[in-house]
Amino acid sequence: MIIKSIGKIAENLYVLGHPAVPVFLADGDRPVIFDAGFTSLGEIYVKDIKKYLGGRTPYYCFLTHVHFDHCGAVSILKKYFPDMKIAASKQAKEIIKRPNAVSLIRDLNIAGKNVLKSYGLNIDSSDLFQAFEIDMTLDHGDRVEYSNNMSVQVISTPGHTWDCLSYYIPEQKILISSEAGGQIDLTGYMVSDCLADYGQYLSSLKKLHRLDVEILCPGHIAVFTGKDAKKYLQDSLEECERFRKRVEKCIVDETGDLEKVKTRIKAIEYDNNPGPKQPEPAYLINLEARILAVKKQMTNI
Ligand SMILES: [Zn+2]
């Protein structure tokens, strides 16, 4: 099943906010939320948390990575739930200390309000992203029990970014992969999201593909269950190889001219895409990073 709505998706598992920029809640004795979305959706996440937890509060907020659309509302959540522990990788802890990272995340969250408009969502929020501290660092292999016989396994999945972690709840076969598992756009096109490093991205994806997944929570758009969850990870793995081969061929054909390579890949991935899609400048910045990740891999061989 492909679930493109918010609310309860399984026993003690909820999608909060908006499916395009979701926060996930796993309820238990010590409830966990995963990611913190857009700054402008902060109050909506809080409202949804209160709806499902009543007077109880989240104990942990596990961040997959500190891209602007995954950590935007941390300070708002902290305002309402000051005892909630913010957990992420040690790389994320370092990144978020940098003033230039904080101002970039703030600017992108302001621009993010236009993304919500393309989904027909007019958010009346003047909240600005605020710096925050990571209270607890997580490593590959860590296991955090959040309820009786319920735990979150931490899986290091670099490649989309260097700080990426994915989270697996084995008792319910739930995987919170964010973009480490690949990301579909609104038309269903699978994007190989290897912004930082192609080889690491591929090996992270293989780690996720090996897991027994019944409920897959990617970074955006929808939640996938049953055979659709398995198909998603399979499609992502296949697209990863397809993207690499396509970029390698273009680099050879265009004798390394990056602009021409970008134009050719964009024609396939973006120009024919009816949308809604991300703004072209943002797409091009990401595309360049993805092409360079493949190019680096070519010279490593
Ligand atoms: Zn990301």
Side-chain angles (χ1 to χ4, degrees):
M1 198 170 26
I2 302 173
I3 304 165
K4 293 186 177 178
S5 54
I6 58 165
K8 183 173 178 174
I9 43 175
E11 198 56 35
N12 294 324
L13 183 69
Y14 305 87
V15 182
L16 315 179
H18 191 280
V21 202
V23 166
F24 301 101
L25 164 68
D27 195 5
D29 298 337
R30 291 175 294 283
V32 186
I33 59 168
F34 298 92
D35 276 343
F38 273 172
T39 310
S40 57
L41 291 173
E43 297 284 342
I44 296 175
Y45 302 134
V46 170
K47 186 167 80 56
D48 284 352
I49 289 168
K50 288 181 174 172
K51 178 175 160 187
Y52 295 116
L53 293 186
R56 296 178 299 128
T57 61
Y59 194 87
Y60 299 110
C61 171
F62 285 0
L63 299 176
T64 57
H65 59 306
V66 290
H67 266 166
F68 78 103
D69 49 346
H70 293 264
C71 69
V74 168
S75 60
I76 295 168
L77 294 168
K78 266 286 204 187
K79 189 171 81 185
Y80 287 92
F81 311 118
D83 294 333
M84 182 178 72
K85 290 179 175 42
I86 310 296
S89 65
K90 56 181 182 301
Q91 292 90 341
K93 188 177 171 89
E94 293 309 309
I95 292 167
I96 208 67
K97 282 179 187 165
R98 296 182 204 144
N100 58 349
V102 170
S103 62
L104 178 65
I105 294 169
R106 185 172 297 154
D107 291 349
L108 290 172
N109 266 290
I110 293 167
K113 283 201 260 185
N114 289 328
V115 176
L116 294 176
K117 270 191 197 137
S118 70
Y119 286 93
L121 204 66
N122 271 307
I123 297 289
D124 182 25
S125 161
S126 54
D127 288 325
L128 290 176
F129 174 80
Q130 304 294 338
F132 62 88
E133 280 192 25
I134 285 165
D135 307 308
M136 176 178 167
T137 55
L138 298 168
D139 261 324
H140 181 77
D142 285 353
R143 193 178 177 119
V144 181
E145 200 170 278
Y146 67 95
S147 207
N148 214 2
N149 298 320
M150 294 298 289
S151 59
V152 177
Q153 276 180 12
V154 179
I155 305 166
S156 173
T157 47
H160 171 62
T161 59
W162 290 111
D163 64 323
C164 256
L165 296 177
S166 298
Y167 300 108
Y168 184 59
I169 301 173
E171 297 83 357
Q172 282 183 279
K173 300 178 182 171
I174 297 167
L175 175 62
I176 288 100
S177 63
S178 99
E179 288 97 332
Q183 184 57 54
I184 56 156
D185 66 18
L186 279 168
T187 63
Y189 182 84
M190 176 64 73
V191 177
S192 191
D193 226 346
C194 51
L195 298 179
D197 187 277
Y198 181 84
Q200 295 276 337
Y201 180 83
L202 179 60
S203 68
S204 294
L205 198 45
K206 285 179 177 170
K207 268 188 227 173
L208 300 180
H209 186 258
R210 279 195 294 271
L211 294 170
D212 186 6
V213 178
E214 266 306 312
I215 300 171
L216 175 69
C217 304
H220 307 281
I221 310 286
V223 170
F224 296 77
T225 67
K227 64 179 186 344
D228 289 313
K230 292 168 183 40
K231 183 177 182 304
Y232 188 103
L233 292 169
Q234 181 65 30
D235 287 352
S236 184
L237 201 54
E238 287 169 14
E239 174 58 23
C240 193
E241 282 291 296
R242 201 178 302 123
F243 178 73
R244 177 183 61 77
K245 285 182 187 155
R246 185 183 291 153
V247 170
E248 284 180 351
K249 182 175 185 312
C250 286
I251 288 173
V252 172
D253 287 354
E254 303 296 347
T255 58
D257 185 328
L258 204 60
E259 284 309 308
K260 286 185 180 162
V261 174
K262 263 163 74 174
T263 303
R264 282 180 58 174
I265 303 289
K266 177 171 166 280
I268 299 164
E269 287 191 339
Y270 191 86
D271 297 343
N272 288 329
N273 182 337
K277 51 194 175 185
Q278 66 183 144
E280 189 168 315
Y283 169 77
L284 284 172
I285 290 168
N286 283 348
L287 177 60
E288 182 164 320
R290 293 162 59 218
I291 291 170
L292 289 173
V294 172
K295 188 165 179 272
K296 192 178 96 190
Q297 176 80 4
M298 284 170 82
T299 51
N300 278 349
I301 295 165

